[in-house]
Amino acid sequence: MVNAEAQCFNDLCRAGSPQWILEGDIKGCFDHISHNWLLANIPMDKEMLGKWLKCGFVETKKLFPTEEGTPQGGTISPVLMNMTLDGLERILKERFPMRRAVAGKTVYDQINFVRYADDFIVTGKSPETLRNEVMPIIKDFLAERGLQLSEEKTVITHISDGFDFLGQSIRKYNGKLLIKPSKNAIKSFLKKVRAIVRENKTATQDLLICKLNPVIRGWVNYHRYVVSADIFGLVDHRIFECLWRWACRRHKRKGKRWIANKYWHHIDNRTWTFAAEPAFRGKDFDEKYLKLEYAANTKIIRFKKIAAEANPFDEKWTGYYEERDGERMLNSTKGREKLVKIWNSQKRCCPVCGEKITSETGFKTHFVTGNNRKWPAIMVHPWCHRNLHEPGYLI
């Protein structure tokens, strides 16, 4: 998803970037994919695919046939759906090259296509181009596969008005493109948090924190790559209000100061930290308090879009993926903890040359496969890392 958002930024961030966006919505994508098209075009065992598509489903002890669409809830359906929609970008590029000649003049249509699963956008220089030239191509492409665009949800929007894509709001403010969490994403997240608090009115504080933290952490980690600092502060405030009501309800005869001292503590640089001493301590838990995750504590980082031609199964891209994995580990608390453990397990030395790894020498992560090491990755010096990718080099 984040790669698709990064591509949107690349296509729309400049002053001369396209100003109009076609927001595409496929009507019941998983429910209406043509079985005949799948059987004719998906490169796999046709008999097995046919049986899987036509197997039907059981409800209230009755068997119902499946004449179209694919079952949802597994990994097979998304793969088939992606293969079904694959090729639309290539068709648009062939029909609308970067520049083309029309009546002796050079025309720049600025057609860009960004897709994640069945959500996609198409950029264009004018709404007429998107409506009269691009949409018919998309409709024909989908009709061949048994699909169609939703007339109600497929709209053409100006970039200054903004649009929502994959849970983010993408809009230009006075010529500057900003990508923020969308209002719907914020509302649905807070609704989920409030539902958890409401369902745990009598739960202990540490149990409530254990249920909230994964939800907060997952939402924040998804939105940490966009302009989210102010939104994270707002979200923390709304969660505080919800927890304050939860605490006051439990102690109706106590004063506000007593409630604050019982449930909120001064930890690190935060005066009001919703925290509790855990009832059960795991072997890896050595802190006094179990703390609530705060969105504002998450560092906002710029996502580096993956190279379009990068292939994880091609050995020449191994170093590129190791570089990305190493950066991802450095950008997460668990990743940094894992790097420290790897560093200590190596006695803080490079396993290639035997010399110390320090902040001055720097390091690279190298992922080892097919061995019996405790860690799938090792830390090496940058120059040793280059040697590791030489043909026939062994540690």
Side-chain angles (χ1 to χ4, degrees):
M1 286 189 182
V2 188
N3 278 293
E5 294 159 8
Q7 185 60 46
C8 289
F9 183 86
N10 293 341
D11 291 340
L12 299 167
C13 65
R14 299 174 183 82
S17 296
Q19 301 294 305
W20 294 92
I21 296 92
L22 169 66
E23 303 174 58
D25 185 273
I26 301 174
K27 193 173 183 178
C29 184
F30 286 99
D31 299 329
H32 301 296
I33 296 178
S34 169
H35 287 182
N36 292 334
W37 190 92
L38 290 173
L39 291 169
N41 293 277
I42 299 300
M44 64 169 289
D45 187 321
K46 307 298 182 184
E47 183 179 357
M48 181 64 69
L49 177 60
K51 289 181 178 179
W52 184 79
L53 291 172
K54 303 292 186 182
C55 65
F57 64 94
V58 176
E59 186 176 0
T60 62
K61 298 182 180 181
K62 292 183 179 179
L63 177 64
F64 295 86
T66 49
E67 302 299 334
E68 60 179 2
T70 59
Q72 298 185 47
T75 57
I76 302 175
S77 294
V79 171
L80 292 177
M81 184 269 299
N82 272 309
M83 296 179 76
T84 301
L85 298 180
D86 188 37
L88 181 54
E89 181 179 10
R90 175 179 52 79
I91 292 173
L92 289 174
K93 281 186 176 181
E94 291 174 356
R95 177 64 180 80
F96 302 99
M98 187 176 294
R99 56 185 178 184
R100 59 192 178 109
V102 178
K105 295 182 179 180
T106 303
V107 175
Y108 297 89
D109 295 304
Q110 298 182 321
I111 301 296
N112 298 294
F113 179 82
V114 182
R115 179 176 70 86
Y116 182 84
D118 59 338
D119 294 321
F120 67 89
I121 65 162
V122 184
T123 68
K125 189 175 183 179
S126 68
E128 292 77 20
T129 301
L130 293 173
R131 185 179 298 108
N132 301 328
E133 298 186 51
V134 174
M135 281 187 66
I137 294 174
I138 296 175
K139 287 180 178 179
D140 292 343
F141 178 88
L142 296 176
E144 183 183 349
R145 292 153 175 77
L147 302 171
Q148 59 179 330
L149 286 175
S150 172
E151 298 294 340
E152 301 81 19
K153 297 181 181 179
T154 300
V155 294
I156 297 174
T157 311
H158 194 270
I159 190 61
S160 61
D161 297 325
F163 63 97
D164 291 351
F165 185 58
L166 301 177
Q168 312 289 13
S169 173
I170 303 174
R171 182 180 175 185
K172 269 189 177 179
Y173 300 83
N174 297 323
K176 183 176 182 179
L177 183 72
L178 296 180
I179 302 179
K180 304 178 181 181
S182 67
K183 291 182 179 179
N184 289 335
I186 298 170
K187 283 182 179 179
S188 62
F189 167 67
L190 291 176
K191 183 179 180 181
K192 187 173 184 179
V193 169
R194 289 169 182 142
I196 292 173
V197 175
R198 190 165 52 250
E199 292 166 1
N200 291 273
K201 292 178 181 179
T202 59
T204 59
Q205 186 182 8
D206 58 330
L207 179 60
L208 179 61
I209 291 173
C210 288
K211 291 191 175 184
L212 287 175
N213 276 352
V215 177
I216 297 172
R217 191 183 302 118
W219 190 84
V220 168
N221 284 339
Y222 175 70
H223 292 283
R224 70 182 303 188
Y225 301 104
V226 297
V227 185
S228 304
D230 292 342
I231 302 297
F232 285 174
L234 172 66
V235 163
D236 282 342
H237 181 65
R238 293 287 182 260
I239 294 175
F240 166 78
E241 292 177 335
C242 183
L243 292 175
W244 180 258
R245 290 192 294 270
W246 174 86
C248 289
R249 179 188 176 277
R250 295 163 70 91
H251 307 282
K252 295 180 180 179
R253 297 185 180 181
K254 297 291 185 179
K256 294 181 179 179
R257 187 182 296 274
W258 186 93
I259 293 173
N261 291 334
K262 178 174 177 60
Y263 292 103
W264 281 267
H265 306 276
H266 191 160
I267 301 175
D268 298 330
N269 296 326
R270 185 180 288 274
T271 307
W272 287 65
T273 302
F274 191 73
E277 294 188 16
F280 303 98
R281 294 179 181 272
K283 61 179 181 179
D284 296 327
F285 189 85
D286 56 358
E287 297 184 13
K288 181 180 180 181
Y289 290 106
L290 176 65
K291 299 176 289 186
L292 182 74
E293 292 277 348
Y294 283 90
N297 291 347
T298 302
K299 182 182 177 182
I300 306 296
I301 56 177
R302 180 68 180 273
F303 181 79
K304 186 185 294 184
K305 181 180 174 295
I306 195 168
E309 62 274 12
N311 186 346
F313 302 104
D314 190 339
E315 289 187 0
K316 73 177 183 179
W317 290 98
T318 303
Y320 173 80
Y321 280 100
E322 287 180 348
E323 186 81 21
R324 290 182 63 87
D325 290 339
E327 289 181 5
R328 187 168 63 247
M329 292 173 75
L330 283 171
N331 287 328
S332 68
T333 303
K334 287 187 177 179
R336 288 191 293 270
E337 291 174 355
K338 187 173 182 179
L339 286 174
V340 171
K341 290 181 180 178
I342 294 172
W343 186 46
N344 289 328
S345 72
Q346 299 175 183
K347 298 181 179 180
R348 305 185 178 184
C349 294
C350 173
V352 178
C353 65
E355 299 295 327
K356 290 285 185 180
I357 296 176
T358 65
S359 58
E360 288 77 18
T361 64
F363 70 92
K364 295 285 185 181
T365 52
H366 179 73
F367 291 84
V368 184
T369 57
N371 60 17
N372 296 319
R373 293 180 184 273
K374 184 178 179 180
W375 304 103
I378 58 175
M379 294 174 65
V380 298
H381 293 123
W383 51 89
C384 295
H385 187 251
R386 288 192 292 270
N387 292 335
L388 287 174
H389 287 282
E390 292 293 329
Y393 191 93
L394 297 174
I395 299 178

